[in-house]
Amino acid sequence: MLVRDAMSTMVLTIGPAHTLRQAARLMAARRVGAAVVLDADTSLGILTERDVLVSLGLGQNPDTETAGTHTTTDVVFAAPSWTLEEAADAMSHGGFRHLIVMDGNEPTGIVSVRDIIRCWAPSRQQAPTLTA
């Protein structure tokens, strides 16, 4: 199975000046765990729910902290033609849970560990019954 089969094509794009609270609201409303951060010079980065959580844990103010300050810019990108194994390997080696999927110069999706697990897990027909 390929990344294009598993990825979410719903790409939330924000600017570096968005506050962390604004970013968190947008991610929550769209039920996504990451946003692509586009800078004016078209450089790409990623802001994840973990980045927001770390900032809050440090006691930083989500109304003044900006996405640009917490964006990961050293990003590993996936191609839609990658296998899920290649994506999982990149995530495992890099220690992250999201990959921006690029088709040419455009972000066309995001693939997460959860997306890969959904594809690899057997169909859920009936939950097993636990007995004591």
Side-chain angles (χ1 to χ4, degrees):
M1 187 169 273
L2 302 178
V3 164
R4 76 170 51 92
D5 303 319
M7 72 182 191
S8 169
T9 56
M10 158 68 145
V11 179
L12 173 60
T13 304
I14 63 173
H18 277 80
T19 66
L20 290 187
R21 184 175 308 278
Q22 290 170 324
R25 281 187 180 143
L26 290 169
M27 286 189 281
R30 288 167 179 81
R31 299 180 53 107
V32 297
V36 173
V37 181
L38 277 174
D39 205 342
D41 64 3
T42 66
S43 64
L44 287 176
I46 191 166
L47 178 76
T48 67
E49 57 197 356
R50 183 174 290 179
D51 297 322
V52 175
L53 185 63
V54 167
S55 176
L56 290 174
L58 292 172
Q60 296 174 335
N61 184 341
D63 293 313
T64 58
E65 290 295 314
T66 62
T69 305
H70 298 276
T71 296
T72 300
T73 55
D74 184 20
V75 180
V76 175
F77 299 102
S81 60
W82 278 19
T83 65
L84 293 185
E85 289 82 5
E86 289 172 306
D89 187 54
M91 290 178 188
S92 176
H93 281 82
F96 45 82
R97 299 179 298 172
H98 298 86
L99 285 170
I100 300 172
V101 182
M102 299 291 286
D103 194 3
N105 292 330
E106 294 294 317
T108 58
I110 292 186
V111 65
S112 70
V113 169
R114 181 177 290 159
D115 297 326
I116 293 171
I117 290 170
R118 281 188 191 130
C119 290
W120 283 349
S123 322
R124 296 172 123 187
Q125 294 176 0
Q126 186 175 21
T129 305
L130 298 176
T131 58

